[in-house]
Coordinates of all heavy atoms in Angstrom, one line a residue:
M1 N 118.8 73.3 131.4 CA 118.7 74.2 130.3 C 119.3 73.6 129.0 O 120.3 72.9 129.1 CB 119.5 75.5 130.6 CG 118.9 76.7 129.9 SD 119.6 78.3 130.1 CE 120.0 78.5 131.8
T2 N 118.7 73.8 127.9 CA 119.2 73.2 126.6 C 120.4 73.9 126.1 O 120.7 75.1 126.4 CB 118.1 73.3 125.5 OG1 117.9 74.6 125.2 CG2 116.8 72.6 126.0
P3 N 121.2 73.2 125.4 CA 122.4 73.8 124.8 C 122.1 75.0 123.9 O 122.9 76.0 123.9 CB 123.0 72.7 124.0 CG 122.5 71.4 124.5 CD 121.1 71.7 125.0
K4 N 121.0 75.0 123.2 CA 120.6 76.1 122.4 C 120.3 77.4 123.2 O 120.8 78.5 122.9 CB 119.4 75.8 121.6 CG 118.8 76.9 120.8 CD 119.3 76.9 119.4 CE 118.5 77.9 118.5 NZ 119.3 79.1 118.2
A5 N 119.6 77.2 124.3 CA 119.3 78.3 125.2 C 120.6 78.8 125.9 O 120.8 80.1 126.0 CB 118.3 77.9 126.3
Q6 N 121.5 77.9 126.3 CA 122.8 78.4 126.8 C 123.6 79.2 125.8 O 124.2 80.2 126.2 CB 123.6 77.2 127.3 CG 123.0 76.5 128.6 CD 123.8 75.2 128.9 OE1 124.7 74.8 128.2 NE2 123.5 74.7 130.1
E7 N 123.6 78.7 124.6 CA 124.3 79.4 123.5 C 123.7 80.8 123.3 O 124.5 81.8 123.1 CB 124.3 78.6 122.2 CG 125.1 79.2 121.1 CD 125.0 78.4 119.8 OE1 124.7 77.2 119.9 OE2 125.3 79.0 118.8
D8 N 122.4 80.9 123.3 CA 121.7 82.2 123.2 C 122.1 83.2 124.3 O 122.4 84.3 124.1 CB 120.2 82.0 123.1 CG 119.8 81.4 121.8 OD1 120.5 81.5 120.8 OD2 118.6 81.0 121.7
I9 N 122.2 82.6 125.5 CA 122.5 83.5 126.7 C 124.0 83.9 126.6 O 124.3 85.1 126.8 CB 122.3 82.7 128.0 CG1 120.8 82.5 128.2 CG2 122.9 83.4 129.2 CD1 120.5 81.6 129.4
R10 N 124.9 83.1 126.2 CA 126.3 83.5 126.0 C 126.4 84.5 124.9 O 127.2 85.5 125.1 CB 127.2 82.2 125.7 CG 127.6 81.5 126.9 CD 128.6 80.4 126.6 NE 127.8 79.2 126.7 CZ 127.8 78.2 125.8 NH1 128.6 78.3 124.8 NH2 127.1 77.2 125.9
L11 N 125.7 84.3 123.8 CA 125.8 85.3 122.7 C 125.3 86.7 123.2 O 125.9 87.7 122.9 CB 125.0 84.8 121.5 CG 124.9 85.7 120.3 CD1 126.3 85.9 119.7 CD2 124.0 85.2 119.3
T12 N 124.2 86.7 123.9 CA 123.6 87.9 124.4 C 124.6 88.6 125.4 O 124.8 89.8 125.3 CB 122.3 87.6 125.2 OG1 121.4 87.0 124.3 CG2 121.6 88.9 125.6
Q13 N 125.2 87.8 126.3 CA 126.2 88.4 127.2 C 127.4 89.0 126.4 O 127.9 90.1 126.8 CB 126.6 87.3 128.2 CG 125.6 87.0 129.2 CD 126.0 85.8 130.1 OE1 127.0 85.1 129.8 NE2 125.2 85.5 131.2
Y14 N 127.8 88.2 125.4 CA 129.0 88.7 124.6 C 128.6 90.0 123.9 O 129.4 91.0 123.9 CB 129.4 87.6 123.6 CG 130.5 88.0 122.7 CD1 131.8 88.2 123.1 CD2 130.2 88.3 121.3 CE1 132.8 88.6 122.2 CE2 131.2 88.7 120.5 CZ 132.5 88.8 120.9 OH 133.4 89.2 120.0
L15 N 127.4 90.1 123.3 CA 127.0 91.3 122.6 C 126.9 92.5 123.6 O 127.3 93.6 123.3 CB 125.7 91.1 121.9 CG 125.8 90.2 120.6 CD1 124.4 89.9 120.0 CD2 126.8 90.7 119.6
N16 N 126.3 92.2 124.8 CA 126.2 93.3 125.8 C 127.6 93.8 126.2 O 127.8 95.0 126.4 CB 125.4 92.8 127.0 CG 123.9 92.8 126.7 OD1 123.4 93.5 125.9 ND2 123.2 91.9 127.4
K17 N 128.5 92.9 126.4 CA 129.9 93.3 126.7 C 130.5 94.2 125.7 O 131.1 95.2 125.9 CB 130.8 92.1 127.0 CG 132.2 92.4 127.5 CD 132.9 91.1 127.8 CE 134.3 91.4 128.3 NZ 135.1 92.3 127.5
L18 N 130.3 93.8 124.4 CA 130.8 94.6 123.3 C 130.2 96.0 123.3 O 130.9 97.0 123.1 CB 130.6 93.9 121.9 CG 131.5 92.7 121.6 CD1 131.1 92.1 120.3 CD2 132.9 93.1 121.5
L19 N 128.9 96.0 123.5 CA 128.2 97.3 123.5 C 128.7 98.2 124.7 O 128.9 99.4 124.6 CB 126.7 97.1 123.6 CG 126.0 96.6 122.4 CD1 124.6 96.3 122.7 CD2 126.1 97.7 121.3
D20 N 129.0 97.5 125.9 CA 129.5 98.3 127.0 C 130.9 98.8 126.7 O 131.2 99.9 127.2 CB 129.5 97.4 128.3 CG 128.1 97.1 128.8 OD1 127.2 97.9 128.5 OD2 128.0 96.1 129.5
D21 N 131.7 98.1 126.0 CA 133.1 98.5 125.7 C 133.2 99.6 124.6 O 134.2 100.3 124.5 CB 133.9 97.3 125.3 CG 134.1 96.4 126.4 OD1 133.9 96.7 127.6 OD2 134.5 95.2 126.1
M22 N 132.1 99.8 123.8 CA 132.1 100.8 122.8 C 132.0 102.2 123.3 O 131.3 102.4 124.3 CB 131.0 100.5 121.8 CG 131.1 99.3 120.9 SD 129.7 99.0 119.8 CE 129.9 100.4 118.7
P23 N 132.7 103.1 122.7 CA 132.5 104.5 123.2 C 131.1 105.1 122.9 O 130.5 104.7 121.8 CB 133.6 105.3 122.4 CG 133.8 104.5 121.2 CD 133.6 103.1 121.6
I24 N 130.6 105.9 123.7 CA 129.3 106.5 123.5 C 129.5 107.7 122.6 O 130.3 108.6 122.8 CB 128.7 107.0 124.9 CG1 128.5 105.8 125.8 CG2 127.4 107.7 124.6 CD1 128.0 106.1 127.1
S25 N 128.7 107.6 121.5 CA 128.8 108.7 120.5 C 127.7 109.7 120.7 O 126.5 109.3 121.0 CB 128.8 108.1 119.1 OG 129.8 107.2 118.9
E26 N 127.9 110.9 120.5 CA 126.9 112.0 120.5 C 126.5 112.3 119.1 O 127.3 112.3 118.2 CB 127.5 113.2 121.2 CG 127.8 113.1 122.7 CD 126.5 112.9 123.5 OE1 125.5 113.6 123.2 OE2 126.5 112.2 124.5
P27 N 125.2 112.5 118.9 CA 124.8 112.9 117.5 C 125.3 114.3 117.2 O 125.6 115.1 118.1 CB 123.3 112.9 117.6 CG 123.0 113.1 119.1 CD 124.1 112.5 119.8
S28 N 125.4 114.6 115.9 CA 125.9 116.0 115.6 C 124.9 117.0 116.0 O 123.7 116.7 116.2 CB 126.1 116.0 114.0 OG 124.8 116.0 113.4
S29 N 125.3 118.2 116.1 CA 124.5 119.3 116.6 C 123.4 119.6 115.6 O 122.4 120.3 115.9 CB 125.3 120.5 117.0 OG 126.0 121.0 115.8
E30 N 123.6 119.3 114.3 CA 122.7 119.6 113.3 C 121.6 118.5 113.1 O 120.8 118.6 112.2 CB 123.4 119.8 112.0 CG 124.4 120.9 112.1 CD 125.3 121.0 110.8 OE1 125.2 120.1 110.0 OE2 126.1 121.9 110.7
L31 N 121.7 117.4 113.8 CA 120.8 116.3 113.6 C 119.3 116.7 113.8 O 118.5 116.4 112.9 CB 121.1 115.2 114.6 CG 120.2 113.9 114.5 CD1 120.4 113.2 113.2 CD2 120.5 113.0 115.7
T32 N 119.0 117.4 114.8 CA 117.6 117.8 115.1 C 117.1 118.7 113.9 O 116.0 118.5 113.4 CB 117.5 118.6 116.4 OG1 118.0 117.7 117.4 CG2 116.1 118.9 116.7
D33 N 118.0 119.6 113.5 CA 117.5 120.5 112.4 C 117.3 119.8 111.1 O 116.3 120.0 110.4 CB 118.6 121.6 112.2 CG 118.7 122.5 113.4 OD1 117.7 122.7 114.1 OD2 119.8 123.1 113.5
R34 N 118.1 118.8 110.8 CA 118.0 118.0 109.6 C 116.7 117.2 109.7 O 115.9 117.1 108.7 CB 119.2 117.1 109.4 CG 120.4 117.8 108.9 CD 121.5 116.8 108.5 NE 121.8 116.0 109.7 CZ 122.6 115.0 109.7 NH1 123.2 114.6 108.7 NH2 122.8 114.3 110.9
I35 N 116.4 116.6 110.8 CA 115.2 115.8 111.0 C 114.0 116.6 110.8 O 113.0 116.3 110.1 CB 115.2 115.0 112.3 CG1 116.3 114.0 112.3 CG2 113.8 114.4 112.6 CD1 116.5 113.3 113.6
M36 N 113.9 117.8 111.5 CA 112.8 118.7 111.4 C 112.6 119.2 110.0 O 111.4 119.3 109.6 CB 112.9 119.8 112.4 CG 112.8 119.3 113.9 SD 111.4 118.3 114.3 CE 110.1 119.6 114.1
S37 N 113.6 119.6 109.3 CA 113.5 120.1 108.0 C 113.0 119.0 107.0 O 112.2 119.2 106.2 CB 114.8 120.7 107.4 OG 115.8 119.7 107.3
G38 N 113.4 117.7 107.3 CA 112.9 116.6 106.5 C 111.4 116.4 106.7 O 110.6 116.2 105.8
I39 N 111.0 116.5 108.0 CA 109.6 116.4 108.3 C 108.7 117.5 107.6 O 107.7 117.2 107.0 CB 109.3 116.3 109.8 CG1 109.9 115.1 110.4 CG2 107.9 116.5 110.2 CD1 110.0 115.0 111.9
Q40 N 109.2 118.7 107.7 CA 108.5 119.8 107.1 C 108.4 119.7 105.6 O 107.4 120.0 105.0 CB 109.2 121.1 107.5 CG 109.0 121.5 108.9 CD 109.8 122.7 109.4 OE1 110.6 123.2 108.6 NE2 109.5 123.2 110.6
E41 N 109.5 119.2 105.0 CA 109.4 119.0 103.5 C 108.4 118.0 103.1 O 107.7 118.2 102.1 CB 110.8 118.6 103.0 CG 111.8 119.8 103.0 CD 113.2 119.3 102.7 OE1 113.4 118.1 102.4 OE2 114.2 120.1 102.7
K42 N 108.3 116.9 103.9 CA 107.4 115.9 103.6 C 105.9 116.4 103.8 O 105.1 116.1 102.9 CB 107.6 114.7 104.5 CG 108.8 113.8 104.1 CD 109.0 112.7 105.0 CE 110.2 111.9 104.6 NZ 110.5 110.8 105.5
E43 N 105.7 117.2 104.8 CA 104.4 117.7 105.0 C 104.0 118.7 103.9 O 102.9 118.7 103.4 CB 104.3 118.5 106.4 CG 104.3 117.6 107.6 CD 104.4 118.3 108.9 OE1 104.5 119.6 108.9 OE2 104.3 117.7 109.9
Q44 N 104.9 119.5 103.4 CA 104.7 120.4 102.3 C 104.4 119.7 101.1 O 103.5 120.0 100.3 CB 105.8 121.4 102.1 CG 106.0 122.4 103.3 CD 107.2 123.2 103.1 OE1 108.1 123.0 102.3 NE2 107.4 124.2 104.0
A45 N 105.1 118.6 100.8 CA 104.8 117.7 99.6 C 103.5 117.1 99.7 O 102.8 117.0 98.7 CB 105.9 116.7 99.5
V46 N 103.1 116.6 100.9 CA 101.7 116.0 101.0 C 100.6 117.1 100.8 O 99.7 116.8 100.1 CB 101.6 115.4 102.4 CG1 100.2 115.0 102.7 CG2 102.5 114.2 102.6
L47 N 100.8 118.3 101.4 CA 99.8 119.3 101.1 C 99.7 119.7 99.7 O 98.6 120.0 99.2 CB 100.2 120.6 102.0 CG 100.0 120.4 103.5 CD1 100.5 121.7 104.2 CD2 98.5 120.1 103.8
A48 N 100.9 119.8 99.0 CA 100.9 120.2 97.6 C 100.1 119.1 96.8 O 99.4 119.4 95.9 CB 102.3 120.3 97.1
S49 N 100.4 117.8 97.1 CA 99.7 116.8 96.3 C 98.2 116.7 96.6 O 97.4 116.5 95.7 CB 100.3 115.4 96.7 OG 100.1 115.0 98.0
K50 N 97.8 117.0 97.9 CA 96.4 117.1 98.2 C 95.7 118.2 97.5 O 94.6 118.1 96.9 CB 96.2 117.3 99.7 CG 96.4 116.0 100.5 CD 96.1 116.2 102.0 CE 96.3 115.0 102.8 NZ 96.0 115.2 104.2
T51 N 96.4 119.4 97.4 CA 95.8 120.5 96.7 C 95.7 120.2 95.2 O 94.6 120.5 94.6 CB 96.8 121.7 96.8 OG1 96.9 122.0 98.2 CG2 96.2 123.0 96.1
Q52 N 96.6 119.5 94.6 CA 96.6 119.1 93.2 C 95.4 118.2 93.0 O 94.7 118.3 92.0 CB 97.9 118.5 92.7 CG 97.9 118.2 91.3 CD 99.3 117.7 90.8 OE1 100.1 117.4 91.7 NE2 99.4 117.5 89.6
I53 N 95.2 117.2 93.9 CA 94.1 116.2 93.7 C 92.8 116.9 93.8 O 91.9 116.6 93.0 CB 94.3 115.1 94.8 CG1 95.5 114.2 94.5 CG2 93.0 114.3 94.9 CD1 95.9 113.3 95.6
R54 N 92.7 117.9 94.8 CA 91.4 118.6 94.9 C 91.1 119.4 93.6 O 90.0 119.5 93.1 CB 91.5 119.6 96.1 CG 91.3 118.8 97.4 CD 91.3 119.8 98.5 NE 91.3 119.1 99.8 CZ 91.8 119.6 100.9 NH1 92.3 120.8 100.9 NH2 91.8 118.9 102.0
R55 N 92.2 120.0 93.1 CA 92.0 120.8 91.9 C 91.6 119.9 90.7 O 90.7 120.3 89.9 CB 93.3 121.5 91.5 CG 93.2 122.6 90.4 CD 94.4 123.4 90.3 NE 94.7 124.2 91.5 CZ 95.9 124.4 92.0 NH1 96.9 123.8 91.4 NH2 96.0 125.1 93.1
Q56 N 92.2 118.8 90.6 CA 91.8 117.8 89.5 C 90.4 117.4 89.7 O 89.6 117.3 88.7 CB 92.8 116.6 89.5 CG 94.1 117.0 89.0 CD 95.1 115.8 89.1 OE1 94.8 114.8 89.8 NE2 96.3 115.9 88.5
T57 N 90.0 117.1 90.9 CA 88.6 116.6 91.2 C 87.6 117.7 90.8 O 86.6 117.4 90.2 CB 88.5 116.2 92.7 OG1 89.4 115.2 93.0 CG2 87.1 115.7 93.0
Y58 N 87.9 119.0 91.2 CA 87.1 120.1 90.9 C 86.9 120.2 89.4 O 85.8 120.4 88.9 CB 87.6 121.4 91.5 CG 86.8 122.6 91.2 CD1 85.6 122.9 91.8 CD2 87.3 123.5 90.3 CE1 84.9 124.0 91.5 CE2 86.6 124.6 89.9 CZ 85.4 124.9 90.6 OH 84.7 126.0 90.3
L59 N 88.0 120.2 88.7 CA 87.9 120.3 87.2 C 87.1 119.2 86.6 O 86.3 119.4 85.6 CB 89.3 120.4 86.6 CG 90.1 121.6 86.9 CD1 91.6 121.5 86.4 CD2 89.4 122.8 86.3
L60 N 87.3 118.0 87.1 CA 86.6 116.8 86.5 C 85.1 117.0 86.8 O 84.3 116.8 85.9 CB 87.1 115.5 87.2 CG 86.4 114.2 86.7 CD1 86.6 114.0 85.3 CD2 86.8 113.1 87.6
N61 N 84.7 117.3 88.0 CA 83.3 117.5 88.3 C 82.7 118.7 87.5 O 81.6 118.6 87.1 CB 83.1 117.8 89.8 CG 83.4 116.6 90.7 OD1 83.4 115.4 90.2 ND2 83.7 116.8 91.9
S62 N 83.4 119.7 87.3 CA 82.9 120.8 86.5 C 82.7 120.4 85.1 O 81.7 120.8 84.5 CB 83.9 122.0 86.6 OG 84.1 122.5 87.9
S63 N 83.7 119.7 84.6 CA 83.5 119.2 83.2 C 82.3 118.3 83.0 O 81.6 118.4 82.0 CB 84.8 118.5 82.7 OG 85.9 119.3 82.8
I64 N 82.1 117.4 84.0 CA 80.9 116.6 83.9 C 79.6 117.4 84.0 O 78.7 117.1 83.2 CB 81.0 115.5 85.0 CG1 82.1 114.5 84.7 CG2 79.7 114.7 85.1 CD1 82.4 113.6 85.9
A65 N 79.6 118.4 84.8 CA 78.4 119.2 85.0 C 78.1 120.0 83.7 O 77.0 120.1 83.2 CB 78.6 120.2 86.2
I66 N 79.2 120.5 83.1 CA 79.0 121.3 81.8 C 78.5 120.3 80.7 O 77.6 120.7 80.0 CB 80.3 121.9 81.4 CG1 80.7 123.1 82.4 CG2 80.3 122.4 80.0 CD1 82.1 123.6 82.2
A67 N 79.1 119.1 80.6 CA 78.7 118.2 79.6 C 77.2 117.8 79.8 O 76.4 117.7 78.8 CB 79.6 117.0 79.6
A68 N 76.8 117.5 81.0 CA 75.4 117.2 81.3 C 74.5 118.3 81.0 O 73.4 118.1 80.4 CB 75.3 116.8 82.8
T69 N 74.8 119.5 81.3 CA 74.0 120.7 81.0 C 73.8 120.8 79.5 O 72.7 121.0 79.0 CB 74.6 122.0 81.5 OG1 74.8 121.8 82.9 CG2 73.7 123.1 81.3
V70 N 74.9 120.6 78.7 CA 74.8 120.7 77.2 C 73.9 119.6 76.7 O 73.0 119.9 75.8 CB 76.2 120.7 76.6 CG1 76.1 120.5 75.1 CG2 77.0 121.9 77.0
V71 N 74.0 118.4 77.2 CA 73.2 117.3 76.7 C 71.7 117.6 77.1 O 70.8 117.4 76.2 CB 73.6 116.0 77.4 CG1 72.6 114.9 77.1 CG2 75.0 115.6 76.8
L72 N 71.4 118.1 78.2 CA 70.1 118.4 78.6 C 69.5 119.5 77.8 O 68.3 119.4 77.4 CB 70.0 118.8 80.1 CG 70.2 117.6 81.1 CD1 70.2 118.1 82.5 CD2 69.2 116.5 80.9
I73 N 70.3 120.5 77.5 CA 69.8 121.6 76.6 C 69.5 121.1 75.2 O 68.5 121.4 74.6 CB 70.8 122.8 76.7 CG1 70.8 123.5 78.0 CG2 70.5 123.8 75.6 CD1 71.8 124.5 78.2
Q74 N 70.4 120.4 74.7 CA 70.2 119.9 73.3 C 69.1 118.9 73.2 O 68.4 118.8 72.1 CB 71.5 119.3 72.8 CG 72.6 120.3 72.5 CD 73.9 119.7 71.9 OE1 74.0 118.4 71.9 NE2 74.7 120.5 71.4
S75 N 68.8 118.1 74.2 CA 67.7 117.2 74.1 C 66.4 117.8 74.4 O 65.4 117.1 74.2 CB 68.0 116.0 75.1 OG 67.9 116.5 76.4
G76 N 66.3 119.0 74.8 CA 65.0 119.7 75.1 C 64.4 119.4 76.4 O 63.3 119.8 76.7
I77 N 65.1 118.6 77.3 CA 64.6 118.3 78.6 C 64.5 119.5 79.4 O 63.6 119.7 80.3 CB 65.5 117.2 79.2 CG1 65.3 115.9 78.5 CG2 65.1 117.0 80.7 CD1 66.1 114.8 79.0
I78 N 65.4 120.5 79.2 CA 65.4 121.7 80.1 C 64.1 122.4 79.9 O 63.5 122.9 80.9 CB 66.6 122.6 79.7 CG1 67.9 122.0 80.1 CG2 66.4 124.0 80.3 CD1 68.1 121.9 81.6
N79 N 63.6 122.5 78.6 CA 62.3 123.2 78.4 C 61.1 122.4 79.1 O 60.2 123.1 79.7 CB 62.0 123.3 76.9 CG 62.9 124.3 76.2 OD1 63.3 125.2 76.8 ND2 63.2 124.1 75.0
K80 N 61.2 121.1 79.1 CA 60.2 120.3 79.8 C 60.2 120.6 81.3 O 59.2 120.7 81.9 CB 60.3 118.9 79.5 CG 60.0 118.5 78.0 CD 60.2 117.1 77.8 CE 59.9 116.8 76.3 NZ 60.1 115.4 75.9
I81 N 61.4 120.7 81.8 CA 61.6 120.9 83.3 C 61.1 122.3 83.6 O 60.4 122.5 84.6 CB 63.1 120.7 83.7 CG1 63.5 119.3 83.6 CG2 63.3 121.3 85.1 CD1 65.0 119.0 83.8
M82 N 61.3 123.3 82.7 CA 60.9 124.6 83.0 C 59.4 124.7 82.9 O 58.7 125.6 83.6 CB 61.5 125.6 82.0 CG 63.0 125.6 82.1 SD 63.6 126.1 83.7 CE 64.5 127.6 83.3
N83 N 58.7 123.9 82.1 CA 57.3 123.9 81.9 C 56.6 122.9 82.8 O 55.3 122.8 82.7 CB 57.0 123.6 80.4 CG 57.5 124.7 79.5 OD1 57.5 125.9 79.9 ND2 57.9 124.4 78.3
I84 N 57.2 122.3 83.8 CA 56.6 121.4 84.7 C 55.5 122.2 85.5 O 54.4 121.7 85.8 CB 57.6 120.7 85.6 CG1 58.3 119.6 84.8 CG2 56.9 120.1 86.8 CD1 59.4 118.9 85.6
D85 N 55.9 123.4 85.9 CA 55.0 124.2 86.7 C 53.7 124.4 86.0 O 52.6 124.3 86.6 CB 55.6 125.5 87.0 CG 54.8 126.3 88.1 OD1 54.3 125.7 89.0 OD2 54.8 127.5 87.9
A86 N 53.7 124.7 84.7 CA 52.5 124.9 83.9 C 51.7 123.6 83.8 O 50.5 123.6 83.9 CB 52.8 125.4 82.5
G87 N 52.4 122.5 83.7 CA 51.7 121.2 83.6 C 51.0 120.9 84.9 O 49.9 120.3 85.0
I88 N 51.7 121.2 86.0 CA 51.1 120.9 87.4 C 49.8 121.8 87.6 O 48.8 121.3 88.1 CB 52.2 121.2 88.5 CG1 53.2 120.1 88.4 CG2 51.5 121.2 89.8 CD1 54.4 120.4 89.3
L89 N 49.9 123.0 87.1 CA 48.7 123.9 87.2 C 47.6 123.3 86.4 O 46.4 123.4 86.9 CB 49.1 125.3 86.8 CG 50.0 126.1 87.7 CD1 50.3 127.5 87.1 CD2 49.3 126.4 89.0
Q90 N 47.8 122.9 85.2 CA 46.8 122.3 84.4 C 46.2 121.0 85.1 O 45.0 120.8 85.1 CB 47.3 121.9 83.0 CG 47.6 123.1 82.1 CD 48.2 122.7 80.8 OE1 48.6 121.5 80.6 NE2 48.4 123.6 79.9
L91 N 47.1 120.2 85.6 CA 46.6 119.0 86.3 C 45.8 119.3 87.5 O 44.7 118.7 87.7 CB 47.8 118.1 86.7 CG 47.5 116.8 87.4 CD1 46.8 115.9 86.4 CD2 48.8 116.1 87.8
T92 N 46.2 120.3 88.3 CA 45.4 120.6 89.5 C 44.0 121.2 89.1 O 43.0 121.0 89.8 CB 46.1 121.6 90.4 OG1 46.6 122.7 89.6 CG2 47.3 121.0 91.1
S93 N 44.0 122.0 88.1 CA 42.7 122.6 87.7 C 41.8 121.5 87.1 O 40.6 121.5 87.3 CB 42.9 123.7 86.7 OG 43.6 123.3 85.5
F94 N 42.4 120.5 86.4 CA 41.6 119.4 85.9 C 41.0 118.6 87.1 O 39.8 118.2 87.0 CB 42.5 118.5 85.0 CG 41.8 117.3 84.5 CD1 40.8 117.4 83.5 CD2 42.1 116.1 85.0 CE1 40.1 116.3 83.0 CE2 41.4 114.9 84.5 CZ 40.4 115.1 83.5
I95 N 41.9 118.3 88.1 CA 41.4 117.6 89.3 C 40.3 118.4 90.0 O 39.3 117.8 90.4 CB 42.6 117.2 90.2 CG1 43.5 116.2 89.5 CG2 42.1 116.7 91.5 CD1 44.8 116.0 90.3
Q96 N 40.4 119.7 90.1 CA 39.4 120.5 90.8 C 38.1 120.5 89.9 O 37.0 120.4 90.5 CB 39.9 121.9 90.9 CG 40.9 122.1 92.0 CD 41.4 123.5 92.1 OE1 41.1 124.4 91.2 NE2 42.2 123.8 93.2
H97 N 38.2 120.5 88.6 CA 37.1 120.4 87.8 C 36.3 119.1 87.9 O 35.1 119.1 87.9 CB 37.5 120.6 86.3 CG 36.4 120.6 85.3 ND1 35.4 121.5 85.3 CD2 36.1 119.6 84.4 CE1 34.5 121.2 84.3 NE2 34.9 120.0 83.8
L98 N 37.1 118.0 88.1 CA 36.5 116.7 88.2 C 35.8 116.5 89.6 O 34.8 115.9 89.7 CB 37.5 115.6 88.1 CG 38.0 115.3 86.7 CD1 39.1 114.2 86.7 CD2 36.9 114.9 85.8
S99 N 36.4 117.2 90.6 CA 35.8 117.0 92.0 C 34.6 117.8 92.2 O 33.9 117.6 93.2 CB 36.9 117.3 93.0 OG 37.2 118.7 92.9
Q100 N 34.3 118.8 91.3 CA 33.1 119.6 91.5 C 31.8 119.0 91.0 O 31.6 118.3 90.2 CB 33.3 121.0 90.9 CG 34.3 121.8 91.7 CD 34.6 123.1 91.0 OE1 34.1 123.4 90.0 NE2 35.4 123.9 91.7

């Protein structure tokens, strides 16, 4: 065995002996309650941030939809879209007239 490996073994044995000699400590009776309350607080914070992100996304999407609607109304495209049905009827009657 190499001197380095022997030194590592001796160090490990020494540390194990020190750990065996140390008194065993019990956690405080409130440890579990503190850990659980910390977990619950983190979960509530995550839920609150997700709710805020959803709300911001909803507002952003709504604003974009409103802006697009205003642009379409002002440009007159809405009237053209509404009159597509009339144009389709004229086209079908023209095709029927040609086919006869």
Side-chain angles (χ1 to χ4, degrees):
M1 209 180 315
T2 65
K4 173 93 170 107
Q6 289 175 352
E7 184 180 338
D8 286 344
I9 290 172
R10 273 187 260 133
L11 178 63
T12 303
Q13 290 172 346
Y14 175 72
L15 290 175
N16 283 334
K17 183 179 181 308
L18 285 177
L19 286 173
D20 289 339
D21 293 340
M22 290 177 67
I24 297 177
S25 299
E26 292 290 325
S28 70
S29 60
E30 300 171 356
L31 178 67
T32 304
D33 295 333
R34 286 187 302 176
I35 290 173
M36 292 307 291
S37 66
I39 291 171
Q40 289 173 349
E41 288 173 2
K42 287 180 183 178
E43 288 176 354
Q44 290 173 352
V46 168
L47 289 176
S49 67
K50 284 183 180 179
T51 303
Q52 184 178 8
I53 290 171
R54 285 183 187 154
R55 190 173 295 140
Q56 289 174 348
T57 303
Y58 177 76
L59 289 174
L60 177 66
N61 290 340
S62 299
S63 300
I64 291 171
I66 290 169
T69 303
V70 168
V71 168
L72 290 176
I73 289 172
Q74 287 183 348
S75 66
I77 292 177
I78 292 291
N79 289 332
K80 291 180 182 177
I81 291 172
M82 299 300 241
N83 294 326
I84 284 177
D85 189 40
I88 291 173
L89 288 175
Q90 288 176 353
L91 183 62
T92 52
S93 62
F94 178 72
I95 292 172
Q96 285 177 353
H97 178 68
L98 287 178
S99 64
Q100 291 176 353

